Amino acid sequence: MTTVDTTYAGSFIGGAQHRNAGDALDVVNPADGRAFARVAAASAADVDVAVQAAAGAFDAWSELAVSKRGEILGRAAHHVEEHLDELIPLLTREQGKTLRDSKIEITKAIDTLMHYVGLSKSLRGVHTPNLDPGVEGYVLRKPLGVVGAIVPWNFPTTLLCNKLAPALVAGNTVVAKPAATTPLTTLRFAELLADGGLPPGVFNVVTGKGSVAGEALVTHPHVRKIAFTGSTPVGEQIMALAARGTKRVTLELGGSDPMIICDDADLAAAASAASMGRFYNGGQACLAIKRVYVFESVADQVIESITAKAKRLKVGRGDAEGTQMGPMHTDAQRAEVAGQVTQSVNAGGELRAGGGAPDDPDLQDGFFYMPTIVVDPPHDSPMATEEVFGPALPIWRVAGLDEAIQRANASPFGLGSSVWTKDLQSAREAANRIEAGYTWINSRTKVYDELPFGGWKSSGYGKEHGQEAFDFYTETKSVVLGGG
Ligand code: NAD
């Protein structure tokens, strides 16, 4: 019998654990379907306590020199890093991903904190010396106040730190809400940042459901901005709720990233990228490769190669030796992907691999789904038109680059994309014409802290990463000096 852990009973507010008033939420291990921890959900009143704590900490935090904020955050981030060995298995247990992927994720989250710590030493502003004779202008940049950060379950720590790092360095204070199913790593992360010297109230975490704690955060009158990562329907709902009070929003939403493989590409490298890019994190990544368009002349070879790789992937518990792909995060997520695959195959797609749960009796209680390849499903089937948030890849044969780009752009999403070719002209054409916030040429899915990241169309609004992220956590004011 599994004992239920209640170490983290609720939220983390003002530098300490806070007991929530809401219903108890079970935290389930996706590898065996069993609840192993329980956290009380935050009510609207709990969210209010967190927002008040963040508002109370704002003046002192925002008045520190920016480099001092960076210094404090840097020390706190190092303290988190010293506890990697504890955080990695915790993330695997609540999220399902492999221990290797948990290590990559948390290391990247800390790197992002450190990236903005670095930027805190080099931020400079705008000064215009001669607007009129004897008149000069400069631009002040002020933090917004309390920022609400709402995060999904697929990368609980990196998606948190993409928001936390620029928000804190810019002088804001933060209340974060992790997904209801992945509260634990975020709570421990917050505790470690506080132990590492982040002042009480600067970073708070409320746990609970989106419909209660999430909405309470979005609608709280003292929250000036919501930084949201999650699905497009919820993002649209948040944008509508944030309209009252003209709150700032950044929305990092769903994606259906196309990959175009030209006939002159390094086909072996492209096939490996398709497999890694689709099946990483059980296919549950916003930037996963979700549609492949391959030139007809090389299609058979590429399809065979990707299919062989999908069949070879070792599926198992995230904490088991040698596992390459863990379970899906919830049974509901698995059912959704299974439905999209079944409908697309019934409509005429050819199932080449997977298409169901594994036979292994040891995996029957977990939310496993085998790496799946479907060739040429109709262009109006769910695998073409919807986001497939799991390990199932559709591949289409196309006549050439023009058709591939048109198909790529036919999706309502516009997050990432990639093109595989040795021809510079084709690469430039694809980069110019694909409607997406990122295009990788002969590479895949790696997001750099140095470059702005954010979706076009239904994939969102605003940018994370890069110096650009500061624009979404500050207001500017133009100041004119002199002139009579
Ligand atoms: P989701 O939209 O269901 O939930 C995301 C977060 O929003 C959770 O914390 C949830 O509790 C909260 N929430 C739900 N309803 C809410 C409401 N009414 N008000 C306030 N908060 C609410 O998304 P999910 O299923 O957890 O995550 C998967 C989705 O996230 C996919 O669509 C994926 O593509 C997207 N995603 C996007 C990016 C990106 O950077 N663009 C990155 C990762 C994931």
Side-chain angles (χ1 to χ4, degrees):
M1 211 185 87
T2 320
T3 50
V4 174
D5 186 346
T6 51
T7 308
Y8 297 101
S11 295
F12 186 81
I13 299 176
Q17 288 210 38
H18 166 91
R19 189 158 286 280
N20 289 329
D23 296 340
L25 294 173
D26 280 342
V27 185
V28 171
N29 184 339
D32 57 25
R34 288 192 202 106
F36 68 93
R38 188 164 300 138
V39 176
S43 64
D46 295 314
V47 172
D48 182 56
V49 175
V51 174
Q52 299 298 349
F58 176 73
D59 283 350
W61 181 247
S62 61
E63 282 163 15
L64 288 175
V66 61
S67 59
K68 184 71 186 169
R69 289 196 294 267
E71 216 177 285
I72 294 172
L73 183 61
R75 267 202 307 273
H78 277 308
H79 187 67
V80 176
E81 197 171 21
E82 283 164 8
H83 291 76
L84 265 184
D85 289 349
E86 175 195 343
L87 290 166
I88 289 167
L90 184 61
L91 180 57
T92 290
R93 204 166 181 205
E94 70 173 345
Q95 204 286 334
K97 64 183 68 195
T98 64
L99 292 171
R100 182 174 176 274
D101 287 354
S102 286
K103 183 174 184 185
I104 292 171
E105 177 185 330
I106 300 169
T107 305
K108 172 74 180 151
I110 294 165
D111 278 356
T112 297
L113 293 178
M114 296 312 292
H115 181 81
Y116 285 90
V117 167
L119 285 181
S120 73
K121 311 272 182 215
S122 63
L123 282 179
R124 304 175 73 180
V126 173
H127 176 251
T128 308
N130 204 13
L131 291 167
D132 266 319
V135 181
E136 59 187 293
Y138 59 92
V139 177
L140 276 179
R141 209 175 252 284
K142 306 291 272 182
L144 301 171
V146 178
V147 168
I150 301 182
V151 178
W153 45 261
N154 59 337
F155 293 95
T157 62
T158 47
L159 298 173
L160 168 71
C161 289
N162 293 349
K163 298 160 181 55
L164 194 60
L168 293 189
V169 168
N172 303 281
T173 54
V174 174
V175 177
K177 196 203 81 65
T181 51
T182 53
L184 303 179
T185 319
T186 311
L187 286 166
R188 184 65 183 132
F189 208 97
E191 199 171 50
L192 288 167
L193 284 173
D195 290 349
L198 200 63
V202 167
F203 172 46
N204 311 276
V205 177
V206 290
T207 54
K209 291 186 182 152
S211 56
V212 181
E215 285 198 23
L217 192 57
V218 177
T219 54
H220 196 291
H222 290 153
V223 171
R224 289 303 312 144
K225 183 231 162 95
I226 292 291
F228 172 76
T229 299
S231 62
T232 296
V234 174
E236 289 175 351
Q237 224 175 315
I238 284 175
M239 197 172 193
L241 286 173
R244 183 165 303 155
T246 40
K247 294 185 180 181
R248 278 55 182 146
V249 288
T250 37
L251 303 172
E252 298 292 349
L253 309 180
S256 183
D257 291 7
M259 173 192 202
I260 297 174
I261 306 176
C262 302
D263 52 3
D264 65 346
D266 177 339
L267 299 180
S272 291
S275 172
M276 291 287 293
R278 174 69 275 198
F279 300 119
Y280 175 71
N281 209 42
Q284 303 161 118
C286 57
L287 278 173
I289 291 169
K290 297 191 178 119
R291 296 174 289 149
V292 169
Y293 298 101
V294 55
F295 284 21
E296 181 75 61
S297 52
V298 294
D300 286 345
Q301 184 185 343
V302 169
I303 291 165
E304 239 164 71
S305 173
I306 300 175
T307 303
K309 286 176 194 300
K311 287 184 172 166
R312 273 203 303 273
L313 273 179
K314 184 159 169 38
V315 176
R317 292 180 62 100
D319 58 6
E321 185 82 20
T323 295
Q324 292 171 301
M325 193 181 91
M328 297 192 61
H329 181 56
T330 60
D331 204 21
Q333 193 61 38
R334 176 171 65 168
E336 184 179 321
V337 169
Q340 291 168 313
V341 168
T342 304
Q343 279 186 50
S344 302
V345 170
N346 289 345
E350 183 194 350
L351 184 67
R352 288 289 191 96
D359 298 329
D360 185 342
D362 290 343
L363 303 182
Q364 295 313 302
D365 294 336
F367 311 135
F368 294 91
Y369 192 79
M370 294 302 281
T372 295
I373 303 288
V374 178
V375 175
D376 286 328
H379 291 291
D380 61 354
S381 63
M383 292 188 85
T385 60
E386 297 172 7
E387 177 180 39
V388 178
F389 212 60
L393 181 66
I395 307 177
W396 289 273
R397 298 177 170 87
V398 288
L401 189 61
D402 196 54
E403 184 191 347
I405 294 173
Q406 281 185 39
R407 297 273 183 215
N409 287 344
S411 164
F413 298 106
L415 194 56
S417 56
S418 66
V419 57
W420 292 73
T421 178
K422 293 195 181 108
D423 178 50
L424 183 60
Q425 208 42 45
S426 301
R428 291 180 67 162
E429 184 179 346
N432 277 331
R433 285 179 55 199
I434 294 175
E435 297 164 354
Y438 238 96
T439 295
W440 285 271
I441 297 167
N442 298 322
S443 66
R444 64 163 181 93
T445 59
K446 183 170 178 190
V447 169
Y448 291 89
D449 284 318
E450 291 83 346
L451 299 176
F453 167 86
W456 294 11
K457 305 197 284 186
S458 292
S459 289
Y461 170 77
K463 300 293 168 195
E464 292 191 332
H465 301 282
Q467 187 118 7
E468 287 79 355
F470 286 123
D471 295 341
F472 296 90
Y473 290 97
T474 50
E475 296 282 17
T476 60
K477 177 190 283 185
S478 296
V479 181
V480 175
L481 206 58

